[in-house]
Amino acid sequence: MKWNKRAALLAAAFGLSALITGASGAGATANTQASGELRLVRLASYSTGAGLAKSGAEIVHYDKASRKAYLINGDTKSFEIVDLSGLKSGVENQALAAENKFKITDFNPTDSPGLFGDITSIAVHPTENLIAVAVPNSVKTEPGSVVFFTKTGEYLGYERVGALPDMITLTPDGSRFLVANEGEPADADYNIDPEGSVSIIDIAKTGDGHFSFNVTTAGFGSPDLAIDGNVRYASLKTGHVANPTPEQWAADLEPEFITVSADSAKAYVALQENNAIGVLDLQSKRFTHVYGLGYKNHMLPQNKLDVSDEDKTVKIQNYPVLGAYMPDGISLRTIGGKTYLFTANEGDGREWGGAADEVKFRDIYASGGPKAGNVVKLDAKYYPGTTQDELDAINLGALSEKTGLGNLRITNTVSDIVYKDTVTGVTYYNALVAYGARSFSIWDVDKLGTPEQQVYDSGDDFEQYIAVNYPSVFNSDHEANKMDNRSDNKGPEPEYVETGEAFGRTYAFVGLERQSGVIVYNVSNPQEPQLASYFNLRDLVNSGQGDLGPEGLDFIPAGDSPTGKPLLLAGNEVSGTMAVLELQRQAPFKVQPQEDGAVYSVSDNNGVPVMTVKDGVSGLKTFSANVQTVLGHSGAETVVFTHRRGSQTLGLTGVRGDFDNGGYAAQIQFNVQAGDTVEVYVVDELTNDPGRQPVVLQ
């Protein structure tokens, strides 16, 4: 029986609801310690051989059929195949080598020698002998391609897609590849700005076993597209436009990442620079909505941050700053019958053709007030939870020093929040908006576009946790172990979020790009995620060593894993390495049945002890177990005995108490017959709260 089913059964038996209701939002207290329920072990680290910061290993994708990892090497414009089938559980520093490498430019069509100019992403089909790679044109503003290979690297052909294909994925049913065409402007000329889009590639198999592909590209230029008022229009060419035209939106919206619903009916697309999510209907192959994600108020107690790289100390506190979520990696997960969107809130500015939307606060404000050409009047309507009196009381001049807000990167264009008067040239700041939210968030996809869309945000957890546990590299850049040198610019920089189920629980894995670590949350209850674990990828002594700059993650369930345990692959762009991390379960309590060879035998069911009644035994019998504290758990717990006969549950009894202070011997009696089973496990304290589901603690 799965953990969530066991908890739901327990809730029903004690008259509790197993439904999750209500949203807690961000927690009010910072997490500086992980529960420890999950331990990550680095089994191996494969090196592409690329030099430091050469984009040697960005995106990685695992093929469960062959037990091989496919990763892209931006340094050599190649994809590489690494065999993981020989990995052993729990053994660190195992050797990995490339089985093969394929340079994408070697496959350029003879009539278009610059068509395959780079490689940005890879997707492996789970059931067909097919992989696809996203390949930008050597002129990035020209249409790119998706190039197809067999899983052994045999070239199959290509299809043209939109400009700058930056990410590729498969629909869960395996019928389509989806490609995020970012459509960035030319580096030196913002007037050359192709449209952002998503290309939908239908996969068909011909009678002779070959593949054929049909491409439809969906853009944002339809006048019927619903774009809500929170979507950031951020063109460097036009500045603030109250009502952008469909043509302007089409050029400005830039798809970054795609995740697809379990039924393959909808795709959700991160529009990072626009601080928004686009919804793509995969039946009509049209975008239906673009939803703005809003802004995070760093004046609230749970949303502190460190903003200065000059003081070389940890100073996490509240500032009159809004964080634009601007997610990079996103993920969908259905939990408790509802679908949630997970976002890694990295943030990203624009700088093209000599123009930029990023300034430092001290460039617009000095000790005596705003600098010429700037008007700064913070408006409480943009700071939910903060009063106008609180904002007016802030001495912005004092904060403009480098040891205050002075070096913080903020944006100079966010529609009506921050905008430039095109006639006078004056820029008006109704709020100070920074890039990224230094967090991960969970969103209810059914409520996107409403005030209730955000279910949870991790607040200031990332910085608080690193400050306490890894202070020497707090807000460090990934290339050098220099603490505090990224506090002014996105902090730990959450880049990617991956979700997966392990040991009966649902986890979110967030790659912190600059920090070079993976932070893990138990999100089995999306309204109240719990910080579960952190894995530091970098060498804490030697700068530039270790696995640096996690850019892409891929979760491997235990059933698909070569070690028999869940794995997480991390593609590290800066070090050019792929880390293989094994997940190991650490339980708060250990339950050990007391031996009674005359009555029952003892076995294990997914970590839960099972006592099976022996042949010839019947009647009222005693079942005993010792409960030992391993990690412990805040508050009270309940030891539960479940009596089953086949698939039927005959009895369920709980013993409540606080078992953290040492061992505890629990016992119960059931009227049994041969073949009956009794399970024993520990959950957190049972309540009559209809919005709370018990959590298994062993």
Side-chain angles (χ1 to χ4, degrees):
M1 182 179 292
K2 298 293 186 182
W3 293 102
N4 57 350
K5 291 182 180 178
R6 183 177 286 112
L9 175 62
L10 178 63
F14 283 88
L16 305 176
S17 171
L19 297 177
I20 298 172
T21 60
S24 65
T29 57
N31 280 307
T32 59
Q33 295 299 322
S35 70
E37 68 186 66
L38 201 66
R39 179 170 177 256
L40 276 65
V41 175
R42 180 164 28 202
L43 300 187
S45 181
Y46 164 77
S47 177
T48 62
L52 195 66
K54 296 291 186 180
S55 300
E58 295 182 72
I59 303 301
V60 58
H61 198 167
Y62 177 73
D63 176 39
K64 65 180 181 181
S66 63
R67 296 189 170 182
K68 294 175 183 177
Y70 293 74
L71 59 95
I72 64 166
N73 183 339
D75 181 43
T76 59
K77 298 179 173 59
S78 304
F79 68 90
E80 305 185 4
I81 306 173
V82 181
D83 189 358
L84 304 183
S85 62
L87 286 174
K88 294 179 173 57
S89 176
V91 180
E92 299 186 47
N93 301 316
Q94 297 176 61
L96 293 175
E99 181 179 281
N100 221 329
K101 303 179 181 182
F102 299 91
K103 191 171 184 178
I104 196 66
T105 52
D106 290 344
F107 300 93
N108 257 310
T110 55
D111 57 346
S112 301
L115 184 61
F116 302 164
D118 200 355
I119 185 169
T120 56
S121 187
I122 189 166
V124 184
H125 201 287
T127 57
E128 300 289 352
N129 186 19
L130 180 66
I131 65 173
V133 292
V135 178
N137 197 302
S138 57
V139 179
K140 75 168 188 175
T141 54
E142 293 295 316
S145 305
V146 169
V147 186
F148 303 98
F149 297 85
T150 67
K151 291 180 180 179
T152 56
E154 178 187 354
Y155 174 71
L156 299 177
Y158 70 93
E159 295 287 343
R160 302 294 292 273
V161 293
L164 192 57
D166 193 46
M167 184 267 180
I168 187 167
T169 190
L170 267 161
T171 55
D173 64 6
S175 66
R176 292 166 170 161
F177 289 107
L178 303 180
V179 191
N181 305 308
E182 194 165 6
E184 288 180 348
D187 294 341
D189 187 355
Y190 197 93
N191 290 311
I192 304 174
D193 186 8
E195 294 185 0
S197 62
V198 169
S199 291
I200 304 161
I201 306 176
D202 291 290
I203 306 166
K205 207 167 186 180
T206 61
D208 58 1
H210 291 86
F211 295 100
S212 65
F213 307 98
N214 183 63
V215 181
T216 304
T217 296
F220 299 93
S222 170
D224 298 328
L225 176 59
I227 302 177
D228 77 28
N230 281 324
V231 179
R232 177 179 184 249
Y233 180 80
S235 171
L236 300 180
K237 184 165 56 177
T238 64
H240 173 57
V241 176
N243 296 294
T245 66
E247 291 76 20
Q248 287 175 317
W249 278 122
D252 196 65
L253 295 169
E254 297 179 354
E256 188 84 24
F257 203 95
I258 305 170
T259 186
V260 188
S261 61
D263 61 2
S264 300
K266 289 182 180 179
Y268 295 82
V269 182
L271 306 169
Q272 184 173 30
E273 290 83 358
N274 306 94
N275 192 32
I277 298 293
V279 181
L280 176 62
D281 185 303
L282 293 177
Q283 182 174 359
S284 65
K285 300 183 179 179
R286 295 168 62 90
F287 278 98
T288 59
H289 295 84
V290 179
Y291 296 108
L293 296 178
Y295 301 90
K296 178 174 179 174
N297 184 2
H298 287 292
M299 286 286 287
L300 300 181
Q302 69 269 24
N303 294 338
K304 298 179 177 71
L305 74 169
D306 190 320
V307 298
S308 175
D309 61 332
E310 295 281 348
D311 55 8
K312 299 306 174 189
T313 188
V314 176
K315 189 166 64 177
I316 304 173
Q317 61 188 51
N318 293 118
Y319 291 94
V321 172
L322 301 181
Y325 291 98
M326 291 183 166
D328 190 333
I330 60 177
S331 178
L332 275 182
R333 176 68 52 169
T334 299
I335 304 171
K338 286 188 65 64
T339 300
Y340 299 93
L341 178 70
F342 294 75
T343 62
N345 304 319
E346 179 195 26
D348 197 15
R350 284 175 167 168
E351 184 175 2
W352 309 111
D357 65 5
E358 180 179 285
V359 295
K360 293 184 178 181
F361 181 61
R362 61 185 169 88
D363 293 335
I364 68 165
Y365 211 99
S367 58
K371 293 187 176 181
N374 300 284
V375 173
V376 180
K377 175 60 177 174
L378 305 186
D379 190 333
K381 79 176 184 180
Y382 299 110
Y383 291 83
T386 302
T387 68
Q388 191 62 53
D389 287 345
E390 288 173 323
L391 290 175
D392 292 343
I394 296 171
N395 186 339
L396 292 177
L399 284 179
S400 67
E401 298 297 324
K402 292 181 180 180
T403 53
L405 278 173
N407 281 355
L408 182 70
R409 269 79 162 180
I410 60 173
T411 180
N412 59 17
T413 173
V414 191
S415 62
D416 62 328
I417 302 177
V418 181
Y419 64 92
K420 185 174 185 177
D421 188 311
T422 56
V423 176
T424 65
V426 174
T427 300
Y428 293 84
Y429 292 84
N430 293 306
L432 307 179
V433 181
Y435 297 91
R438 308 190 184 194
S439 63
F440 89 98
S441 298
I442 305 175
W443 313 81
D444 185 336
V445 297
D446 294 327
K447 295 182 180 178
L448 289 175
T450 74
E452 296 79 33
Q453 63 181 356
Q454 189 180 86
V455 174
Y456 173 83
D457 182 81
S458 62
D460 52 22
D461 279 4
F462 296 173
E463 283 178 284
Q464 298 279 14
Y465 181 87
I466 299 297
V468 170
N469 297 280
Y470 296 91
S472 66
V473 290
F474 170 78
N475 280 356
S476 177
D477 201 355
H478 35 38
E479 294 182 50
N481 293 350
K482 295 182 179 179
M483 72 90 64
D484 208 33
N485 67 348
R486 289 291 297 183
S487 289
D488 63 321
N489 192 6
K490 297 182 280 188
E493 203 161 321
E495 171 80 17
Y496 200 103
V497 60
E498 176 79 317
T499 56
E501 292 188 7
F503 312 112
R505 302 175 181 184
T506 304
Y507 291 98
F509 307 88
V510 184
L512 304 182
E513 182 182 11
R514 297 287 176 169
Q515 196 64 52
S516 293
V518 177
I519 196 162
V520 187
Y521 281 74
N522 181 334
V523 295
S524 300
N525 182 346
Q527 283 80 12
E528 297 183 4
Q530 301 296 318
L531 176 56
S533 186
Y534 178 80
F535 188 84
N536 172 63
L537 289 161
R538 70 193 307 146
D539 186 322
L540 295 174
V541 177
N542 303 299
S543 289
Q545 299 296 313
D547 296 306
L548 303 171
E551 181 80 11
L553 305 174
D554 195 22
F555 174 77
I556 305 172
D560 299 335
S561 168
T563 70
K565 291 186 178 180
L567 299 179
L568 185 71
L569 305 183
N572 301 286
E573 178 184 15
V574 175
S575 58
T577 58
M578 175 188 69
V580 182
L581 308 178
E582 185 176 72
L583 280 58
Q584 298 179 355
R585 186 165 178 271
Q586 296 278 92
F589 297 94
K590 181 179 180 181
V591 178
Q592 181 61 49
Q594 294 180 2
E595 296 293 335
D596 189 342
V599 177
Y600 54 78
S601 60
V602 177
S603 60
D604 181 274
N605 177 22
N606 196 25
V608 172
V610 180
M611 293 169 275
T612 302
V613 179
K614 291 189 171 183
D615 290 342
V617 176
S618 63
L620 193 64
K621 300 298 178 182
T622 299
F623 298 84
S624 304
N626 293 320
V627 179
Q628 295 179 327
T629 302
V630 179
L631 298 172
H633 165 262
S634 177
E637 300 83 35
T638 304
V639 180
V640 180
F641 290 84
T642 304
H643 174 207
R644 290 195 178 91
R645 184 167 296 155
S647 60
Q648 184 180 9
T649 299
L650 301 180
L652 193 66
T653 301
V655 180
R656 303 188 190 204
D658 188 347
F659 308 123
D660 292 300
N661 300 320
Y664 175 78
Q667 66 179 27
I668 198 69
Q669 288 187 322
F670 290 117
N671 194 356
V672 298
Q673 66 183 38
D676 286 2
T677 60
V678 175
E679 288 185 336
V680 57
Y681 50 96
V682 181
V683 300
D684 58 354
E685 185 177 18
L686 299 179
T687 77
N688 290 317
D689 180 357
R692 192 168 177 279
Q693 175 172 282
V695 176
V696 180
L697 298 176
Q698 71 181 77

